[in-house]
Amino acid sequence: MSIFLWRLISNRIPVDVKLQWRKIELASKCYCCSERPNIEYLQHLFIQGEGAAKVWSKFDTWFLGRSYPLRREDSIPDRLDIWSKRGNHSAAKHISRLTLCLILWFLWAKRNKCQHKKVSFRLFSVVWQVQMHIWKLVDPGRLSPNHWKGATSSMKPFPIKPERRLIPVAKVAKWKAPDPPWLKLNVHGCCDDGTGKGRMGGVARDHYGNVVVAFTTPLKARTEEF
Ligand SMILES: [Zn+2]
């Protein structure tokens, strides 16, 4: 991460425009803008692009009294300077400096994943990774309340461990017939969260897949929360 940041400040990150400048012929298109893709250059990928702008503004809400507003035309050094002043602190490992590094790093990591693994740019994923990294420092005590000085009250005392948002995936389910003379019994139960009523049913089939018996019944039992 340190090397990445050093290369970023030195304009040595191989975004498309940088590669074109090095006489590599390629068509450029960013991954971060869902509606109007742009060409990919440093300022766009890390500051002005749709993805970057939303990530910065999301974390901007963590800091009270933001006397240095984010500006779209900020250069990367400007942004480093402005952001590290969030919270008016003196701690070297202050959350403002950490978020700064993490936002830039995970924007780059996400861009690479989009390019090489053909995934789409998800804003939530970048935000989640930044939060998760911070959580990994908070959990073992490597960040103390002093490192949060000036951060918003909604984040105190420490961020709640971010939950991964599950994305429903459609899967093919295949039923396999049992060996003769066995029957296969498939059962399923469910419960209505609103009424608390449960119901279950099942079906038994032979080795040809023919239904031998089927049933359904209400359940008196209910799930208890522990
Ligand atoms: Zn873009």
Side-chain angles (χ1 to χ4, degrees):
M1 213 179 282
S2 307
I3 291 169
F4 158 76
L5 288 165
W6 172 73
R7 295 187 71 197
L8 178 66
I9 295 164
S10 313
N11 188 21
R12 289 178 188 275
I13 296 295
V15 287
D16 289 350
V17 167
K18 182 73 176 178
L19 295 177
Q20 288 171 337
W21 178 78
R22 291 211 176 266
K23 310 292 180 205
I24 295 173
E25 289 190 13
L26 56 85
S28 175
K29 182 181 167 190
C30 76
Y31 297 96
C32 56
C33 300
S34 53
E35 292 186 1
R36 286 191 197 167
N38 206 314
I39 56 169
E40 187 191 71
Y41 54 103
L42 277 188
Q43 186 72 5
H44 180 82
L45 178 60
F46 293 104
I47 305 286
Q48 291 178 339
E50 188 184 315
K54 285 181 178 172
V55 173
W56 285 110
S57 60
K58 163 80 186 166
F59 286 101
D60 196 31
T61 61
W62 280 21
F63 301 98
L64 290 169
R66 300 184 296 274
S67 50
Y68 304 93
L70 300 184
R71 295 169 308 181
R72 196 169 181 275
E73 64 276 14
D74 281 345
S75 64
I76 291 174
D78 284 344
R79 185 58 57 89
L80 292 172
D81 184 44
I82 288 168
W83 197 269
S84 61
K85 290 175 183 163
R86 290 282 189 275
N88 298 319
H89 60 86
S90 56
K93 282 199 298 181
H94 190 267
I95 194 68
S96 63
R97 291 200 175 125
L98 279 175
T99 46
L100 174 64
C101 301
L102 294 172
I103 290 169
L104 293 166
W105 170 253
F106 283 113
L107 280 170
W108 178 239
K110 176 55 76 181
R111 175 269 187 195
N112 289 332
K113 213 169 176 185
C114 292
Q115 174 142 336
H116 302 296
K117 297 201 170 174
K118 306 299 174 200
V119 299
S120 53
F121 190 99
R122 289 181 192 277
L123 171 71
F124 177 82
S125 164
V126 178
V127 171
W128 185 84
Q129 284 180 299
V130 173
Q131 288 179 317
M132 200 61 206
H133 197 97
I134 292 170
W135 173 258
K136 283 178 187 166
L137 297 172
V138 169
D139 202 24
R142 290 178 65 189
L143 283 184
S144 70
N146 190 37
H147 298 128
W148 286 86
K149 204 175 166 191
T152 57
S153 53
S154 63
M155 289 300 297
K156 285 179 179 174
F158 287 129
I160 309 162
K161 187 175 184 178
E163 288 182 16
R164 181 181 276 280
R165 184 177 289 179
L166 294 175
I167 300 165
V169 179
K171 283 186 181 174
V172 177
K174 209 170 177 184
W175 187 85
K176 196 169 169 242
D179 295 326
W182 294 94
L183 300 178
K184 183 176 271 187
L185 173 66
N186 292 106
V187 293
H188 184 65
C190 58
C191 178
D192 184 327
D193 284 341
T195 62
K197 287 182 180 172
R199 199 164 182 91
M200 70 164 293
V203 58
R205 295 173 188 265
D206 63 15
H207 58 281
Y208 293 115
N210 295 326
V211 176
V212 178
V213 64
F215 67 95
T216 175
T217 178
L219 290 176
K220 285 183 183 168
R222 49 181 290 186
T223 306
E224 295 289 341
E225 287 192 17
F226 293 97

